[in-house]
Amino acid sequence: MTRRLRNVLFYGSASALFILLALSLTPITSPLPPYVGDYEVGVLDIETEVERRLVHDAVLKETGEKAFELHTLAITLYYPSALSTLPSQPWARPWLPQPISLIGTGYARLMRIRSPPLQSVITFFLWAFGSKTVIPGVVDAPVLSPINSTDSEAGLGKVVIEMAEGKVGLRLETGMGRLPAVVFTHGMAGMSQSYSHYLGSIASHGYIVAAVEHRDGSGPGTIVHYPGGGERAVWHMTLDDLETDPPMNTSDLKIAQLNFREAEIRETIRLFEHMNRGTKLRNLKPESPESPKSAIPGFKDRLNMSAVTVAGHSYGATGALKALKNAPSEQMPLNGAIALDPGKGSGPLNDEIEVPTLVIQSGEWTEKQVEFYGQGWHFDVVRELVEKTKMGWFMTLGGSAHPSCTDAPLIVPWIMKLATGTTLNGRIALREYIGASVDFLGYLRHGEKKGLLKSEISSPAGPLGDAGKREKIKGSAGADWEVHVVPEA
Ligand SMILES: *[C@@H]1O[C@H](CO)[C@@H](O)[C@H](O)[C@H]1NC(C)=O
Ligand SMILES: *[C@@H]1O[C@H](CO)[C@@H](O)[C@H](O)[C@H]1NC(C)=O
Ligand SMILES: *[C@@H]1O[C@H](CO)[C@@H](O)[C@H](O)[C@H]1NC(C)=O
């Protein structure tokens, strides 16, 4: 054996051993932490039939199918629950949708990788990084009982002991025990469970949260299960995948996707209405429990339909602001919106807003400025939009990055740190996002300003003003915020 080969073998196997040792000591991925609120959290995937409609007539070149036909609605529901473990539900929901190859192929297609062996490599990496991660919370746990909590903060009910005809009974005080709700819309390349810690934590504060799994071709991949049987995979779509007459351009595609998303937001509110009325629902998700045994009937009379808020991240934040154009109305009964990093390239932002709005930007989103559709700097457009409502907040969480509100910084902290250069710890950033969002949701319900919402403007022009006029304000977890706009008076 040559000396060189011996060296290679020696150092080669030594480094292989070292890598194995390092991997066994430091897990590649971290488990998701528990939610921060008081309540346990139930998790349930729901897919239901909706009134079939065509949002745009574009056709997929690959299959000839209609690209924007809405047929079913899919959501992941996070809600407060009384039970932390159920003997009949031994496992939590995997963080990655099953089968993992659907998402692996989806992300590969998103990166324009069309060769099946390379797609399998992506699936392998997803499996390696994500297969052990589960969403904390009990699948299909019963919704928190109204008589299980005395917490008026969560809007839960009071039990009244009453005597009638000589009998003593327990009665729920009329109109109480109804939970406020949130519809959440994900960003480009996102999925309904990509924000599980942020959304589950809001649920653990007493909110029913539905994360929409959009079928507008913005995610990596999702499967539509038809009510009559059969299914269809919806992959990530680009202009090249579509056939229309006349041909679409990029902005037409975004408008079609945002219209599709708006229809899905509307259908989510309709699903809340059905659950609240106790309408019998058929859950088309194959891995979800069948209806009679599921927690869904327990939501009858448990939602406060006057307290539904829309929230979204990035492309989803653009969509949430768009949904407000018709709110509040019978069509869009929304009481407010939370927009996290409203899109920089997802089309102009709607500024016809008549409900309170909270816009939170990551440090990265605020610092890196772009010219926005001929309207000036993105920061200025967002600031003016919030100022115009006279009842909104606009603030920036320093040291955070665009994906800081997703689960990524919790699952692969070191990859996120390397890729985005965040200076704020990922868990602290999420606690700040959750704290500010829950304070805002509370404000929508009882008008009381808490925490950051009480502060005055500290940095009116953000990155576009004097560096000396950028004051920082400490958030609930000790991180630095800049407050750019607060409501008038
Ligand atoms: C309240 O929740 C506990 C579990 O946390 C359960 O054992 C109990 O039966 C519930 N009480 C009522 C009145 O529903
Ligand atoms: C895209 O096409 C629409 C008509 O379908 C047109 O009104 C619009 O100006 C075009 N946008 C761009 C950026 O070319
Ligand atoms: C429903 O929400 C509205 C608006 O926040 C609130 O005024 C009302 O008291 C709530 N109703 C119940 C039953 O909790």
Side-chain angles (χ1 to χ4, degrees), residues 358-404:
L358 168 68
V359 177
I360 300 179
Q361 288 198 165
S362 60
E364 182 190 13
W365 211 243
T366 290
E367 297 310 323
K368 286 193 197 143
Q369 279 308 301
V370 293
E371 224 285 325
F372 194 66
Y373 296 99
Q375 301 170 11
W377 296 111
H378 179 269
F379 180 90
D380 279 339
V381 173
V382 175
R383 183 173 49 77
E384 280 160 25
L385 174 158
V386 181
E387 273 171 355
K388 195 179 150 197
T389 70
K390 299 187 170 56
M391 47 184 165
W393 282 266
F394 175 26
M395 41 184 83
T396 298
L397 176 60
S400 60
H402 191 51
S404 288

Side-chain angles (χ1 to χ4, degrees), residues 104-287:
T105 308
Y107 276 118
R109 290 174 66 118
L110 226 154
M111 294 182 259
R112 307 204 153 268
I113 298 171
R114 292 289 165 116
S115 113
L118 281 179
Q119 293 180 342
S120 308
V121 172
I122 308 269
T123 299
F124 171 77
F125 273 101
L126 271 179
W127 172 84
F129 282 110
S131 65
K132 288 218 187 94
T133 306
V134 296
I135 296 181
V138 177
V139 174
D140 200 33
V143 64
L144 182 68
S145 155
I147 44 177
N148 225 313
S149 166
T150 50
D151 180 7
S152 56
E153 171 64 17
L156 296 175
K158 265 203 214 104
V159 183
V160 182
I161 300 174
E162 59 178 22
M163 285 187 64
E165 294 164 10
K167 278 191 224 150
V168 179
L170 290 181
R171 179 180 63 84
L172 202 60
E173 199 168 78
T174 330
M176 296 292 279
R178 291 180 186 260
L179 297 159
V182 177
V183 183
F184 184 84
T185 144
H186 65 69
M188 181 62 91
M191 297 178 283
S192 70
Q193 67 283 354
S194 311
Y195 305 82
S196 72
H197 186 71
Y198 173 70
L199 299 177
S201 291
I202 291 177
S204 71
H205 280 94
Y207 294 83
I208 294 174
V209 182
V212 183
E213 180 160 305
H214 290 295
R215 268 72 170 273
D216 62 335
S218 65
T222 166
I223 294 181
V224 177
H225 301 95
Y226 291 113
E231 56 181 49
R232 174 169 84 93
V234 177
W235 302 109
H236 189 79
M237 285 188 248
T238 63
L239 274 184
D240 295 341
D241 300 317
L242 298 170
E243 212 159 59
T244 47
D245 183 27
M248 285 175 119
N249 59 29
T250 320
S251 64
D252 297 329
L253 173 60
K254 282 170 189 156
I255 291 169
Q257 288 184 319
L258 286 166
N259 286 340
F260 197 88
R261 284 165 162 252
E262 192 170 349
E264 289 176 306
I265 293 172
R266 176 65 195 116
E267 287 300 343
T268 306
I269 300 175
R270 206 164 273 154
L271 172 64
F272 285 159
E273 285 162 355
H274 283 307
M275 290 167 69
N276 198 38
R277 258 188 254 132
T279 314
K280 215 166 159 232
L281 291 173
R282 187 165 152 227
N283 194 348
L284 300 164
K285 277 270 177 197
E287 63 274 26

Side-chain angles (χ1 to χ4, degrees), residues 306-373:
S306 329
V308 181
T309 308
V310 65
H313 175 232
S314 197
Y315 206 1
T318 303
L321 294 175
K322 174 176 156 59
L324 293 187
K325 190 164 190 161
N326 305 309
S329 64
E330 203 184 323
Q331 271 299 304
M332 276 291 177
L334 296 168
N335 67 353
I338 301 175
L340 309 174
D341 282 358
K344 284 179 172 169
S346 37
L349 299 170
N350 167 45
D351 67 348
E352 290 171 41
I353 295 172
E354 288 169 26
V355 289
T357 300
L358 168 68
V359 177
I360 300 179
Q361 288 198 165
S362 60
E364 182 190 13
W365 211 243
T366 290
E367 297 310 323
K368 286 193 197 143
Q369 279 308 301
V370 293
E371 224 285 325
F372 194 66
Y373 296 99

